[in-house]
Amino acid sequence: MTVDLDWENLGFGYLKLPERYISYYKNGEWDNGQMTQDATLHISESSPALHYGQQAFEGLKAYRTKAGDIQLFRPDQNAERLQKTADRLLMPQVPTEKFIEACKAVVKANAEYVPPYGTGATLYLRPLLIGVGDSISVKPAEEYIFTVFAMPVGNYFKGGLTPTNFIVAEDFDRAAPYGTGAAKVGGNYAASLLPGDKAHIAGFSDVIYLDPATHTKIEEVGSANFFGISRDNEFVTPLSPSILPSVTKYSLLYLAEERLGLKAVEGDVPIADLDRFTEAGACGTAAVISPIGGIQFKDRLHVFYSETEVGPITRRLYDELVGIQFGDIVAPKGWITKVE
Ligand code: PLP
Ligand code: COI
């Protein structure tokens, strides 16, 4: 049974659901965690998460299958990335099993908000790890909160599978060469707010960042990774220590090669070399696969396949990925975790 929502027109926005998971880390260990209906965090005004950005988050989705079951897509990968982010910010790791059990518990407790199969909508899960407690000097917190909440979502970028245009940030970086670009920390997103706002005002979906050291190679989008399809049928995506290692991107690298017969390449993507691509897209949990119609760089809009229609290879990649996520296509081993 599901609640009555306009599932087809959800967009990507917050909705306060009845239940969420919360666990506290004190005296060097995590408690067992519990479900709560309290959607407000009660934390010290001096919490390191608030002052020094000692926090991290994740994003993954629950999908309702045709048979009505609910499943998660590669939650172990999100757990591992959160552990790496935690290491970078000197926060305690959340064990993979605890992470997955928390996600499952939140989905189960809010099961009527998992969108019906066929609407395209999903339940977005937002795990969050924050340093809390009384501490005002610049050092790691002694106490932490790990919480997971959820909301049903539709498209992140307005177009869905209709291409939209993106703009290269010339005067901004989201991360530094040896900074926290590969960690999923709020600071990276804080840095992207102003360029993102300027891009939206100018009519673009989001910003494409260049490598912070030389400003010659594509890094990623503010909220997703980048890929291009080359003229000789390669799936190409940037390799850089300052981009977020996207679970979707690594899934597509595998599917491109194993299921679509493309050559999959992680490497440099010079911004001067866009002509080599016939199609391009942004990929991520929220973005899924969002085709890029054109990229504005300096005073030129470089159009790929079309500004209005998704290219054929991007479409096939989308169908394969989404088919797996919703349970219509057999998944590679270990990619699907059943909730109920
Ligand atoms: N890059 C950035 C900056 C993101 O915020 C996201 C979203 O999580 C991604 C890439 C895509 O990562 P994933 O596919 O793991 O969701
Ligand atoms: C995700 O795709 O899960 C993200 O975290 C992107 C976010 C900017 C909404």
Side-chain angles (χ1 to χ4, degrees):
M1 277 294 289
T2 52
V3 295
D4 193 19
L5 286 178
D6 184 7
W7 300 111
E8 272 92 359
N9 296 301
L10 274 180
F12 194 87
Y14 178 71
L15 182 70
K16 194 196 288 183
L17 297 201
E19 301 277 350
R20 70 270 308 122
Y21 170 94
I22 190 157
S23 180
Y24 294 90
Y25 181 95
K26 279 187 190 148
N27 303 320
E29 59 183 13
W30 287 108
D31 69 8
N32 286 334
Q34 57 184 0
M35 297 301 296
T36 172
Q37 296 192 337
D38 187 355
T40 303
L41 293 171
H42 305 270
I43 59 173
S44 166
E45 60 192 0
S46 71
S47 293
L50 300 179
H51 298 262
Y52 308 124
Q54 199 197 20
Q55 63 83 249
F57 70 100
E58 272 300 326
L60 68 162
K61 285 174 169 173
Y63 304 80
R64 195 178 292 278
T65 68
K66 205 176 206 165
D69 305 339
I70 305 174
Q71 57 190 32
L72 299 170
F73 181 71
R74 311 193 74 180
D76 56 318
Q77 299 298 300
N78 295 91
E80 282 176 24
R81 189 170 62 192
L82 184 60
Q83 288 157 7
K84 289 196 180 115
T85 302
D87 290 348
R88 178 66 179 81
L89 264 63
L90 291 180
M91 300 195 280
Q93 290 190 352
V94 177
T96 299
E97 197 187 332
K98 182 180 180 73
F99 180 96
I100 295 178
E101 286 312 312
C103 291
K104 280 185 175 174
V106 171
V107 175
K108 272 191 199 159
N110 299 290
E112 71 269 37
Y113 288 89
V114 181
Y117 173 84
T119 59
T122 52
L123 187 78
Y124 182 70
L125 298 171
R126 177 47 69 85
L128 177 70
L129 175 62
I130 57 175
V132 298
D134 299 338
S135 157
I136 204 63
S137 56
V138 182
K139 63 178 175 47
E142 284 174 14
E143 297 176 12
Y144 295 84
I145 289 176
F146 172 58
T147 177
V148 181
F149 58 99
M151 71 221 73
V153 298
N155 290 338
Y156 183 74
F157 294 118
K158 264 207 283 321
L161 253 193
T162 304
T164 57
N165 292 339
F166 289 66
I167 184 167
V168 173
E170 289 175 55
D171 304 330
F172 296 101
D173 295 319
R174 68 178 277 284
Y178 297 96
T180 54
K184 202 157 170 64
V185 299
N188 298 339
Y189 298 83
S192 77
L193 290 177
L194 177 60
D197 193 49
K198 284 174 180 272
H200 293 145
I201 289 168
F204 296 96
S205 274
D206 205 344
V207 171
I208 292 189
Y209 292 95
L210 301 179
D211 71 291
T214 70
H215 269 217
T216 59
K217 296 174 278 185
I218 290 187
E219 288 256 296
E220 66 173 323
V221 175
S223 52
N225 273 183
F226 171 88
F227 70 86
I229 307 296
S230 75
R231 293 189 184 280
D232 41 3
N233 278 349
E234 288 172 337
F235 174 91
V236 184
T237 184
L239 181 65
S240 158
S242 49
I243 66 176
L244 192 76
S246 155
V247 176
T248 315
K249 187 263 292 284
Y250 284 112
S251 304
L252 290 175
L253 277 164
Y254 178 86
L255 296 175
E257 201 148 278
E258 298 296 321
R259 301 267 174 107
L260 269 66
L262 308 174
K263 188 165 177 233
V265 185
E266 255 187 307
D268 286 348
V269 180
I271 186 68
D273 225 5
L274 290 182
D275 279 341
R276 70 188 275 224
F277 299 122
T278 52
E279 300 177 35
C283 64
T285 300
V288 192
I289 289 181
S290 298
I292 297 179
I295 292 181
Q296 181 81 33
F297 178 49
K298 300 191 190 290
D299 52 5
R300 175 168 174 239
L301 180 72
H302 180 100
V303 176
F304 296 97
Y305 182 73
S306 149
E307 276 188 86
T308 52
E309 268 178 62
V310 56
I313 295 180
T314 305
R315 169 106 231 177
R316 281 175 62 207
L317 280 167
Y318 178 90
D319 288 345
E320 189 71 30
L321 174 71
V322 173
I324 288 169
Q325 291 172 330
F326 281 101
D328 296 327
I329 296 178
V330 178
K333 200 162 173 287
W335 281 22
I336 294 297
T337 297
K338 288 277 177 200
V339 174
E340 59 178 24

